[in-house]
Amino acid sequence: QVHLAELGGGLVQAGGSLRLSCAASINIFEFNDMGWYRQAPGKERELVASINVGGVTKYGESVKGRFTISRDGAKKTVYLQMNSLNPDDTGVYLCYGRILSRHTWGQGTQVTVSS
């Protein structure tokens, strides 16, 4: 069974940075793509960033230029570097990995940005 474990959430002031990590129980190149969604109260779940098996990245419009997704195959881990955080970035960040139509989700990590 595939598992994803996230680390790195927390409380940060506006303008600060955080790095999230998502460690997989399998070779991350078995996933078609991996990334993060976030869920904020009263808002729809939105894609933050993704990286596919070929290394192509995608970002949500609101995080472009501030967030960077990367990976380390040897550590079976995907990272999300978040810079210039603002209160609108507050939410639960959920790591996912997709193999064909099947998504595996991490437990989620809370990110809170204070103004």
Side-chain angles (χ1 to χ4, degrees):
Q1 193 170 2
V2 180
H3 295 284
L4 299 173
E6 298 144 347
L7 289 174
L11 174 64
V12 64
Q13 288 188 328
S17 298
L18 282 174
R19 188 175 80 157
L20 306 182
S21 63
C22 175
S25 60
I26 64 171
N27 181 346
I28 61 173
F29 295 104
E30 293 190 40
F31 293 107
N32 297 113
D33 55 84
M34 297 183 71
W36 271 269
Y37 280 78
R38 69 183 176 197
Q39 180 73 63
K43 295 183 179 179
E44 291 187 359
R45 183 177 292 188
E46 63 172 331
L47 176 68
V48 176
S50 67
I51 184 166
N52 72 12
V53 65
V56 176
T57 58
K58 292 183 180 179
Y59 295 93
E61 284 298 320
S62 64
V63 308
K64 282 183 180 177
R66 300 187 298 123
F67 291 12
T68 302
I69 189 168
S70 62
R71 63 190 177 187
D72 185 329
K75 294 182 179 179
K76 298 188 288 186
T77 299
V78 174
Y79 302 97
L80 184 68
Q81 178 66 43
M82 305 186 293
N83 299 327
S84 301
L85 286 160
N86 62 64
D88 288 338
D89 295 316
T90 294
V92 176
Y93 283 67
L94 298 143
C95 175
Y96 81 92
R98 182 181 66 85
I99 299 176
L100 299 178
S101 62
R102 182 174 185 139
H103 287 74
T104 298
W105 296 92
Q107 78 280 8
T109 186
Q110 177 70 42
V111 171
T112 303
V113 185
S114 62
S115 57

